[in-house]
Amino acid sequence: QVQLVESGGGLVQAGGSLRLSCAASGRAFENYAMGWFRQAPGKERECVAAISRNGGSTYYTESVKGRFIISRDNGKNTVDLHMNSLKPEDTAVYYCAAQFSLTNSGWYSLSPEYNYWGQGAQVTVSS
């Protein structure tokens, strides 16, 4: 079992920045690929970014490329999402997710691929 707790959400004006952090506890964090998802009202959950278990490989959905950065610290059992140049369309509940990975370079971008989820953090971007 892996327990995930997100922090760092809030209200920010368009063009501003926020950092989401996810703290993991339980089994060996370094064996898990991690992802950040978001879900806006009336929309499906989508993968915003994902990172391999060693941090060497990442994925970003097209709409956040160049604005968001995912990073992890296996020594601290944390994964962060640095969000810059925020837009109103980034408003959503953001979820941290973890999935056991057999490879150092693998990441997952689909919701059903993840077994462990955090409770979510609200991010609201005002125009």
Side-chain angles (χ1 to χ4, degrees):
Q1 287 286 343
V2 175
Q3 292 79 42
L4 304 171
V5 178
E6 300 99 337
S7 61
L11 173 65
V12 65
Q13 288 189 333
S17 299
L18 277 176
R19 185 186 75 175
L20 296 177
S21 187
C22 175
S25 60
R27 297 193 175 185
F29 179 70
E30 63 271 17
N31 291 335
Y32 287 78
M34 303 296 295
W36 281 99
F37 286 72
R38 67 186 179 188
Q39 188 165 21
K43 294 188 177 181
E44 292 187 357
R45 188 173 296 190
E46 67 166 341
C47 183
V48 175
I51 190 167
S52 60
R53 68 183 196 181
N54 69 354
S57 181
T58 57
Y59 160 85
Y60 296 95
T61 193
E62 191 64 34
S63 62
V64 308
K65 284 182 180 178
R67 300 190 297 124
F68 290 11
I69 297 173
I70 187 172
S71 62
R72 66 186 296 161
D73 186 333
N74 287 347
K76 296 181 178 179
N77 289 6
T78 59
V79 58
D80 290 349
L81 184 67
H82 300 260
M83 304 183 292
N84 302 305
S85 301
L86 283 161
K87 304 175 181 180
E89 51 263 44
D90 294 319
T91 295
V93 178
Y94 283 71
Y95 298 90
C96 174
Q99 177 56 28
F100 181 80
S101 177
L102 293 174
T103 67
N104 282 329
S105 59
W107 44 257
Y108 306 96
S109 62
L110 299 177
S111 186
E113 294 178 301
Y114 286 88
N115 283 333
Y116 304 101
W117 294 84
Q119 81 287 354
Q122 177 69 47
V123 172
T124 303
V125 184
S126 63
S127 56

